[in-house]
Amino acid sequence: MSNEINKTYNPKEVEERLYNTWVEKGYFTPTPDKTKEPFTIVIPPPNVTGQLHMGHALDETLQDILIRYKRMAGFNALWIPGTDHAGIATQIKVEEVLRKEEGKTRYDLGREKFVEKVWEWKKHYGDRIINQLKKLGSSCDWTRERFTMDEGCSKAVKEVFVNLYKKGLIYQGSRIINWCPRCITALSDAEVEHAEQAGHFWHIKYPVKGSDEFVVIATTRPETLFGDTAVAVNPEDERYKDIIGKTLLLPLTDREIPVIADAYVDKEFGTGCVKITPAHDPNDFEVGLRHDLAQIKVLNDDATMNHYAGKYEGMDRYECRKQMIKDLDEMGLLVKVEDHSHNVGQCYRCGTTVEPIISKQWFVKMNSLAQPAIDAVKKKDTEFVPEHFEKVYFHWLENIRDWCISRQLWWGHRIPAFYCDDCGEMVVTKEDGAVCSKCGKPMRQDPDTLDTWFSSALWPFSTLGWPDKTEDLSYFYPTSVLVTGYDIIPFWVMRMMFSGIEHTGEVPFKYVFIHGLVRDAQGRKMSKSLGNGVDPLEVIDEFGADALRFTLATGNSPGNDMRFSTERVTASRNFANKIWNASRFVQMNLTIDELCVPAASELALEDKWILDKLNRLVSEVTENLDKFELGVAVAKLYDFIWDEFCDWYIELVKPRLYDTENPTNKTAQQVLSYVLSNTLKLLHPFMPFITEEIWLSLPHEGESIVIANWPTADDALSFPAEAAQMEMMKGALKAVRNKRAEMNIPPSKKAAMFIVTDHTELFQNGAVFFQKLASASDVTVLKDKSTVGENTVAVIVDGAQIYIPLGELVDFEKELKRLEEEKKHLLGEIKRVEGKLSNKGFVDKAPARVVEEEKAKGEKYREMLQKVEESLSAFQKEAN
């Protein structure tokens, strides 16, 4: 036998020791083996911007549950860890630190020195995140750890960029893009979050040259007026047919612009006249191309006005707007201002309102890449769990615009394009530098970096060595499951899909398992501004990793948000303690050294019942895990362990355990250890540490539960008839205990029981259970109740009628006296409360809260009186 486990479970002592052992022994490091089926998960790489939050803890816990389950189920399970450089987010963080600590900007350092600073940040926070993942118990293969800017991933990025460029799928052009004036960079559509914002429609007169006429346009962004190059009307609009082709005087400027006709204009919306600003609106941009209009960009990168704004040059866009409106009003050109609520785009990182502006950027043509990704999900090559999240995926891909992939940042993958400043030649290459083939001069690399999602999109295959044809890539790819939140389907999931199909010819994963967000106890999203975030490391420090993991798995339903509270973690810790105490009891009563199940002929009824229960549990939990119903699986485990195993089986088997002369003593030990050992295996993916510590102390085969075989259902351990009999017995025991509780009879008060039943053998064999678990002093099993005396308490259950002599349960006189005194006391309290509430002086003068409290007391006393009177009536009826 192994050493006895400690009296109490100490997660701090156990977790680090076990985790280090698992890593040292290489349990998490599989090698390609064609005799085994691979099961691969790549971690959604946390950003190196700080530390893990509760959302990460949920994400990683769900992945670890799946990977540990599949490892035990015989799969060659690989979980690849890593971190993401996170472009904008990381650069902003480092710039903030630089400003606060050194009073400098990145420009003071220069690009090279600034990037060195960011690498230092990455080293510190990247390592911290990895250590936090280990604290959670994540069974990742740390020998394969990756970073989106490591040498291999960077090689993949260059390969993809060059390949797409050669195919004509990457191009450089001036297009309307989303611009964040605070981050000073372009954003993709997926990086813009839209929110309803209260705004205005400003109606402004544009005079017709050489006449007293004017047209009225309505705009939500009057400051872009300086970039107007036309006013458009619908060619079918009878109101404006006469002014098409005329010239307008652009207010606040000395420019003139034409009136053009274009079907894009909605006759019914606004005034039917639309200002066309090709450099600041995507629809106007297209109109401008059709009519060969100039593109005048009026904003600087930081959203201040440029020289096209005349006297407003240098003003912030909103300051300019305010002053313009004042000036237009004074000039008589402001017709009216209407309140208008509209959808406004905001930067997903800093929340700043983005500006649609024309800019020369790098783009990926999306139409030909999107369709195969749509088809793959429609054909079920990749399946979403839950399925309804396909709608989000399809919505983005079916309405996708070309992907703006260039960012005006210093941190990230540099765009592998080089320019010759002498002759204007450009080359795209995988090499680190380039020399002009025309004039032989060294070429200058494009200063922009790639969107961080460009490299993340390659994660499932770049982490396995692509573009090199590695053994890992051919064996572990495509991966099996992607576990991620619904919030990054457009950012990441769809991009991995089209990238995987385009560059490897295969979908990157078979399943996309979507989970929800972790919210606080009130259902609010966790955020810094609300101050309701919970640090998973602090929870682990106080309660242990298993308690946190169990809490995150409990109630988890694919795609749905979950609420987190300390009370739930406390309940999970209590569950861990329950398992520990039950296991310690089992271990202390074991004299056997080997794990085996006795022959069916040696098993008692309760043994067959618990083995049948375990057999069903194995089948159901396995099926739930295969369907990603992790919350359902863990609920079944909880019920089985707490209720069936701890509260029932252990109690049922104690008489045999304590009687060492009993010939079934050894059988009881064997069943106890077998059931406990296999239950620990089922629980291991959810609570890896406590299950390993207990399992090692029990009779077992193998060196660790981590690599033990997953339990399988065994027909030889299926005993449905005996299980049904035991459930009948349990029902009778529960009913007796409930009846005694209703009558306030303490467990120490023993009483005789007469059981009238057709199942005489069953209840005769179970007589000991009624003595141990239902406080029976003596049990008599009868075919009919003819010999049962009067004045008994009757308990009617499925298959039996149980009679308990009332005189053995209570002292009639004493109980009647107690109930009468309680009734008298309650009547007095009710009279007192009613007296107060009928006193007008009290009701008028007392605070409303005090009056309400008295009313509540009255209700409570009346409810208590009703129960006492019911008890008196029932008691007197039984007594007579």
Side-chain angles (χ1 to χ4, degrees):
M1 284 294 298
S2 302
N3 293 331
E4 184 180 311
I5 60 176
N6 294 330
K7 189 173 182 180
T8 56
Y9 179 56
N10 181 358
K12 286 184 181 178
E13 187 277 321
V14 169
E15 292 177 356
E16 188 170 357
R17 166 171 53 80
L18 287 181
Y19 194 86
N20 290 338
T21 301
W22 295 337
V23 173
E24 286 164 13
K25 294 202 171 182
Y27 296 154
F28 309 155
T29 306
T31 53
D33 180 352
K34 291 185 178 175
T35 66
K36 296 174 79 174
E37 187 177 342
F39 181 86
T40 316
I41 295 178
V42 290
I43 199 169
N47 295 346
V48 290
T49 51
Q51 62 183 48
L52 295 186
H53 53 64
M54 201 54 77
H56 291 123
L58 172 64
D59 205 46
E60 269 57 273
T61 294
L62 299 180
Q63 290 169 80
D64 198 39
I65 290 168
L66 294 174
I67 213 82
R68 285 182 183 271
Y69 157 56
K70 290 294 186 178
R71 187 183 291 122
M72 295 174 75
F75 289 78
N76 208 11
L78 170 63
W79 185 14
I80 300 176
T83 49
D84 188 5
H85 69 279
I88 296 174
T90 306
Q91 178 160 318
I92 288 172
K93 284 273 188 185
V94 178
E95 285 191 86
E96 282 176 5
V97 171
L98 192 64
R99 187 176 66 254
K100 287 177 183 175
E101 294 183 359
E102 300 181 32
K104 294 179 179 177
T105 68
R106 58 175 159 138
Y107 302 102
D108 294 324
L109 270 66
R111 184 167 193 148
E112 193 174 322
K113 291 288 184 186
F114 177 75
V115 170
E116 283 178 17
K117 282 271 186 192
V118 189
W119 274 108
E120 288 171 14
W121 172 281
K122 180 268 167 189
K123 176 78 175 74
H124 177 73
Y125 285 100
D127 290 353
R128 188 161 97 172
I129 286 167
I130 296 303
N131 288 330
Q132 289 170 336
L133 287 172
K134 292 177 179 178
K135 287 271 188 192
L136 194 60
S138 306
S139 59
C140 300
D141 180 1
W142 301 108
T143 68
R144 288 180 168 95
E145 182 189 334
R146 303 304 299 268
F147 175 56
T148 48
M149 280 176 63
D150 65 25
E151 188 178 344
C153 290
S154 297
K155 180 179 179 181
V157 166
K158 289 180 180 178
E159 182 82 16
V160 165
F161 190 98
V162 172
N163 289 351
L164 292 177
Y165 181 77
K166 285 179 178 176
K167 288 180 179 181
L169 293 175
I170 282 184
Y171 66 93
Q172 194 178 26
S174 291
R175 301 282 299 273
I176 292 287
I177 52 93
N178 305 294
W179 183 265
C180 176
R182 183 176 174 192
C183 298
I184 313 290
T185 184
L187 302 172
S188 68
D189 289 346
E191 290 170 310
V192 178
E193 295 175 342
H194 289 86
E196 279 292 314
Q197 233 179 55
H200 297 93
F201 254 139
W202 284 274
H203 292 250
I204 302 168
K205 293 179 183 178
Y206 281 36
V208 177
K209 184 179 179 183
S211 77
D212 295 331
E213 293 181 272
F214 56 83
V215 299
V216 178
I217 62 94
T219 180
T220 59
R221 297 161 71 211
E223 64 278 6
T224 61
L225 170 152
F226 301 105
D228 289 359
T229 50
V231 163
V233 296
N234 191 293
E236 306 300 320
D237 194 334
E238 295 295 333
R239 292 173 295 174
Y240 300 116
K241 282 200 170 183
D242 291 344
I243 66 164
I244 294 171
K246 290 189 176 181
T247 301
L248 304 177
L249 302 176
L250 185 61
L252 304 177
T253 74
D254 57 3
R255 286 200 297 114
E256 299 175 356
I257 58 175
V259 177
I260 61 172
D262 197 284
Y264 153 70
V265 180
D266 181 354
K267 291 187 293 182
E268 308 304 320
F269 186 75
T271 64
C273 294
V274 178
K275 64 193 282 298
I276 302 299
T277 321
H280 290 276
D281 182 278
N283 295 313
D284 292 4
F285 177 78
E286 299 298 333
V287 173
L289 291 179
R290 288 195 290 273
H291 296 271
D292 196 26
L293 299 175
Q295 297 165 348
I296 301 174
K297 182 179 167 186
V298 301
L299 288 172
N300 296 313
D301 288 349
D302 61 355
T304 55
M305 307 305 295
N306 66 18
H307 66 280
Y308 284 107
K311 71 173 186 176
Y312 308 99
E313 182 180 1
M315 286 186 179
D316 171 77
R317 54 183 164 169
Y318 300 129
E319 183 189 352
C320 170
R321 178 186 295 178
K322 189 176 178 182
Q323 188 59 49
M324 280 177 65
I325 296 304
K326 185 182 176 185
D327 292 347
L328 287 166
D329 192 23
E330 288 175 357
M331 294 167 67
L333 296 177
L334 182 65
V335 179
K336 63 177 178 177
V337 182
E338 288 180 320
D339 289 337
H340 175 65
S341 183
H342 57 146
N343 243 346
V344 174
Q346 297 171 327
C347 174
Y348 82 120
R349 281 293 172 196
C350 68
T352 302
T353 298
V354 299
E355 281 290 342
I357 60 171
I358 194 165
S359 180
K360 190 176 185 183
Q361 302 285 345
W362 288 91
F363 296 87
V364 177
K365 288 182 181 175
M366 286 307 309
N367 286 341
S368 63
L369 294 173
Q371 195 56 51
I374 292 169
D375 296 341
V377 173
K378 287 186 173 176
K379 290 188 297 183
K380 300 298 181 186
D381 294 338
T382 293
E383 298 178 47
F384 277 77
V385 181
E387 189 177 8
H388 66 80
F389 279 103
E390 289 179 357
K391 292 177 183 175
V392 179
Y393 175 83
F394 289 141
H395 171 76
W396 274 91
L397 283 172
E398 289 169 353
N399 296 283
I400 203 161
R401 297 196 302 170
D402 287 356
W403 176 15
C404 176
I405 55 170
S406 47
R407 298 290 179 270
Q408 290 62 53
L409 303 171
W410 289 356
W411 172 244
H413 293 97
R414 285 282 288 275
I415 288 176
F418 296 82
Y419 308 95
C420 178
D421 290 329
D422 280 19
C423 68
E425 181 72 1
M426 185 192 81
V427 64
V428 170
T429 175
K430 289 180 270 187
E431 303 302 321
D432 292 334
V435 174
C436 182
S437 59
K438 289 189 175 178
C439 62
K441 297 285 179 65
M443 302 180 84
R444 170 180 58 84
Q445 187 170 1
D446 195 304
D448 289 353
T449 57
L450 286 162
D451 177 6
T452 187
W453 300 102
F454 192 93
S455 52
S456 302
L458 320 180
W459 190 246
F461 50 93
S462 66
T463 50
L464 290 166
W466 188 93
D468 296 335
K469 292 180 170 58
T470 64
E471 190 179 13
D472 272 3
L473 184 67
S474 62
Y475 180 76
F476 288 111
Y477 185 86
T479 67
S480 308
V481 185
L482 172 73
V483 181
T484 190
Y486 57 69
D487 51 335
I488 57 172
I489 292 173
F491 284 106
W492 194 41
V493 178
M494 70 174 190
R495 287 172 176 160
M496 283 189 287
M497 281 292 289
F498 68 67
S499 298
I501 294 167
E502 170 67 20
H503 303 298
T504 72
E506 298 180 271
V507 294
F509 23 72
K510 172 61 183 167
Y511 295 100
V512 180
F513 173 26
I514 300 291
H515 60 75
L517 303 177
V518 183
R519 298 184 178 275
D520 69 9
Q522 297 173 47
R524 299 174 303 176
K525 188 174 180 178
M526 290 187 176
S527 69
K528 286 181 182 176
S529 59
L530 288 174
N532 63 344
V534 180
D535 184 347
L537 273 297
E538 290 180 5
V539 177
I540 290 172
D541 189 57
E542 183 177 355
F543 297 96
D546 285 333
L548 174 60
R549 291 168 62 110
F550 192 82
T551 302
L552 293 169
T554 301
N556 186 277
S557 175
N560 291 330
D561 293 347
M562 64 171 296
R563 294 190 180 194
F564 181 89
S565 68
T566 305
E567 289 75 18
R568 291 186 62 214
V569 190
T570 301
S572 297
R573 181 179 60 185
N574 293 343
F575 177 59
N577 290 336
K578 179 88 169 179
I579 299 167
W580 185 263
N581 293 335
S583 302
R584 189 166 182 271
F585 168 80
V586 171
Q587 191 200 48
M588 289 169 65
N589 286 280
L590 290 184
T591 58
I592 59 173
D593 290 319
E594 293 184 5
L595 188 70
C596 63
V597 184
S601 58
E602 298 175 22
L603 297 170
L605 178 69
E606 63 268 26
D607 300 333
K608 290 180 178 179
W609 165 74
I610 197 68
L611 288 168
D612 186 82
K613 281 276 186 184
L614 175 66
N615 219 27
R616 293 186 198 182
L617 182 72
V618 167
S619 295
E620 290 176 10
V621 167
T622 303
E623 183 182 353
N624 292 143
L625 288 174
D626 285 338
K627 290 181 175 179
F628 304 101
E629 297 167 345
L630 277 55
V632 176
V634 83
K636 289 176 180 174
L637 281 165
Y638 178 92
D639 290 343
F640 177 84
I641 293 167
W642 192 292
D643 189 35
E644 313 291 11
F645 184 71
C646 294
D647 287 358
W648 279 102
Y649 183 68
I650 287 179
E651 295 304 318
L652 291 168
V653 88
K654 275 180 179 178
R656 294 157 61 196
L657 275 185
Y658 293 153
D659 183 1
T660 55
E661 301 302 315
N662 189 320
T664 64
N665 173 278
K666 186 176 179 183
T667 301
Q669 291 187 49
Q670 289 171 327
V671 175
L672 263 176
S673 56
Y674 177 83
V675 173
L676 179 55
S677 178
N678 280 282
T679 305
L680 290 170
K681 286 181 182 179
L682 295 175
L683 185 63
H684 174 72
F686 301 90
M687 304 178 86
F689 295 107
I690 195 169
T691 51
E692 172 80 310
E693 188 75 354
I694 296 170
W695 188 82
L696 289 172
S697 73
L698 297 170
H700 62 272
E701 296 172 1
E703 61 183 46
S704 170
I705 197 171
V706 176
I707 52 172
N709 292 329
W710 184 254
T712 52
D714 184 350
D715 289 342
L717 300 180
S718 180
F719 304 104
E722 290 89 341
Q725 288 181 328
M726 191 66 228
E727 288 298 332
M728 185 186 293
M729 182 83 72
K730 274 178 62 189
L733 287 163
K734 279 183 182 177
V736 170
R737 295 201 301 211
N738 289 342
K739 189 65 174 178
R740 289 174 60 99
E742 284 173 20
M743 297 176 68
N744 295 314
I745 312 299
S748 58
K749 181 77 173 176
K750 305 285 184 182
M753 289 185 196
F754 296 91
I755 304 176
V756 179
T757 179
D758 291 334
H759 308 278
T760 51
E761 185 181 354
L762 171 66
F763 282 93
Q764 280 169 351
N765 291 337
V768 66
F769 301 143
F770 286 88
Q771 291 170 339
K772 295 289 183 183
L773 303 179
S775 302
S777 58
D778 184 57
V779 178
T780 304
V781 180
L782 303 166
K783 274 281 188 183
D784 60 62
K785 66 169 289 188
S786 59
T787 57
V788 178
E790 297 297 321
N791 293 336
T792 57
V793 174
V795 180
I796 313 300
V797 294
D798 178 33
Q801 299 160 39
I802 302 161
Y803 299 94
I804 309 169
L806 195 58
E808 294 195 21
L809 286 176
V810 292
D811 182 322
F812 290 118
E813 291 184 14
K814 189 176 177 182
E815 187 63 13
L816 277 169
K817 186 179 179 183
R818 186 189 71 79
L819 288 169
E820 290 288 0
E821 285 177 356
E822 180 69 9
K823 179 179 177 180
K824 183 180 178 182
H825 168 72
L826 288 169
L827 286 169
E829 287 298 312
I830 291 169
K831 187 177 180 181
R832 181 189 61 78
V833 170
E834 287 177 346
K836 265 191 170 185
L837 294 174
S838 62
N839 182 338
K840 194 172 185 302
F842 169 76
V843 174
D844 291 343
K845 292 177 183 177
R849 175 182 55 81
V850 174
V851 174
E852 288 303 315
E853 284 175 1
E854 286 299 320
K855 286 180 181 177
K857 282 180 188 176
E859 285 298 315
K860 184 181 75 171
Y861 294 144
R862 279 186 280 274
E863 285 174 15
M864 290 170 69
L865 177 64
Q866 184 182 346
K867 288 178 182 176
V868 167
E869 287 177 333
E870 285 172 1
S871 296
L872 263 171
S873 175
F875 190 84
Q876 288 164 343
K877 184 180 176 184
E878 295 285 1
N880 296 326

